[in-house]
């Protein structure tokens, strides 16, 4: 008998292991009302049962909605001074004046615009808002600043440029410090975007 035939016979005669699952019964929740001693069960029709269980505490004849026995449900006629005195002060006192912002005249708005255009660094929105009694958002809406010139120290000396040009210069400085591998990967990414 050859080796291959012996292994085939031994493999076929070996007992096979199969997975068997234990069949569990379906989980049913017992109704607690059916076993309650004080529940009244009435069969109305087939598959329909009415169960009435009285409340756990007995009603008192002295408790009404107009005059409840519980002190928690009572409403006092006069406001109590002890509870109001124990409260902390309000967090934001300025919220009481909200909606009553000072209305600015057209001359004041023109003055704000002129001051912001003349020197935006010396006249920021928060400072003008405090001075004129309005919000910073209102100042930013009335007199927006498009571009702020910034002095940047470069190899040529101090150069005036706007914020976008300054960001581009900083980006180019950072790119100069990149290694060869990162430069190649960024270039491939840029070309992929163009082709897309």
């Amino acid at each position: 008998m050859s080796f291959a035939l012996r292994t085939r016979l031994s493999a076929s005669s070996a007992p096979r292991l199969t997975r068997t699952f234990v069949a569990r019964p379906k989980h049913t929740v017992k109704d607690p009302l059916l076993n309650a001693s004080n529940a009244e069960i009435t069969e109305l029709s087939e598959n329909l049962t009415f169960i009435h269980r009285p409340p756990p505490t007995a009603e008192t004849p002295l408790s009404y909605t107009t005059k409840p026995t519980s002190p928690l449900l009572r409403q006092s006629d006069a406001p109590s001074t002890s509870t109001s005195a124990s409260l902390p002060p309000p967090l934001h006192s300025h919220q009481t004046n909200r909606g009553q912002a000072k209305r600015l005249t057209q001359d004041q708005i023109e003055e704000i615009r002129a001051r912001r255009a003349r020197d935006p660094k010396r006249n920021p929105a928060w400072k003008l808002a405090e001075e004129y009694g309005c919000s910073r958002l209102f100042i930013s809406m009335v007199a927006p600043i498009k571009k702020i010139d910034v002095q940047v120290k470069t190899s040529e000396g101090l150069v005036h440029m706007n914020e976008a040009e300054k960001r581009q210069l900083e980006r180019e400085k950072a790119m100069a410090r990149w290694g060869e591998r990162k430069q190649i990967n960024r270039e491939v990414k840029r070309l992929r975007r163009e082709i897309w």
Side-chain angles (χ1 to χ4, degrees):
M1 200 187 284
S2 71
F3 177 72
L5 184 61
R6 256 187 285 142
T7 54
R8 206 172 358 157
L9 286 175
S10 64
S12 64
S13 62
R16 294 182 183 211
L17 298 174
T18 58
R19 263 190 202 177
T20 57
F21 297 101
V22 177
R24 293 182 180 168
K26 186 179 176 185
H27 179 67
T28 56
V29 179
K30 294 181 181 176
D31 191 358
L33 292 177
L34 292 175
N35 299 331
S37 60
N38 57 353
E40 296 175 16
I41 301 170
T42 308
E43 296 288 335
L44 297 176
S45 64
E46 58 184 74
N47 298 333
L48 187 61
T49 307
F50 180 73
I51 301 172
H52 174 263
R53 188 169 63 167
T57 57
E59 297 177 15
T60 175
L62 304 174
S63 181
Y64 302 105
T65 54
T66 55
K67 186 183 173 191
T69 55
S70 171
L72 298 174
L73 299 175
R74 288 189 203 134
Q75 293 179 352
S76 61
D77 296 334
S80 137
T81 57
S82 63
T83 56
S84 62
S86 64
L87 291 176
L91 290 177
H92 303 289
S93 60
H94 66 274
Q95 285 186 346
T96 56
N97 299 332
R98 194 172 244 174
Q100 302 171 359
K102 184 179 174 185
R103 299 205 37 107
L104 300 178
T105 63
Q106 194 63 32
D107 295 334
Q108 289 174 324
I109 292 174
E110 293 301 323
E111 184 183 342
I112 289 171
R113 286 181 182 151
R115 287 176 65 182
R116 286 272 278 185
R118 202 173 330 122
D119 194 2
K121 288 191 176 184
R122 288 197 178 178
N123 297 308
W126 65 268
K127 193 173 184 181
L128 292 172
E130 283 180 0
E131 190 176 321
Y132 287 95
C134 57
S135 68
R136 287 181 291 172
L137 177 65
F138 179 75
I139 298 290
S140 299
M141 288 169 48
V142 167
I145 300 174
K146 300 289 187 252
K147 294 179 182 177
I148 300 176
D149 287 340
V150 181
Q151 284 188 347
V152 180
K153 191 174 185 178
T154 60
S155 58
E156 296 92 33
L158 288 176
V159 178
H160 288 280
M161 57 179 65
N162 62 26
E163 287 288 328
E165 292 170 345
K166 181 184 174 187
R167 269 187 261 120
Q168 181 65 26
L169 182 68
E170 289 172 355
R171 186 167 184 253
E172 288 172 3
K173 283 182 185 177
M175 288 171 63
R177 293 190 303 262
W178 288 355
E180 182 182 350
R181 190 174 194 176
K182 188 167 185 174
Q183 287 176 355
I184 290 171
N185 287 341
R186 290 296 171 104
E187 185 63 25
V188 168
K189 191 176 183 179
R190 187 185 63 77
L191 292 172
R192 226 185 279 129
R193 279 192 193 139
E194 287 177 5
I195 295 170
W196 186 267

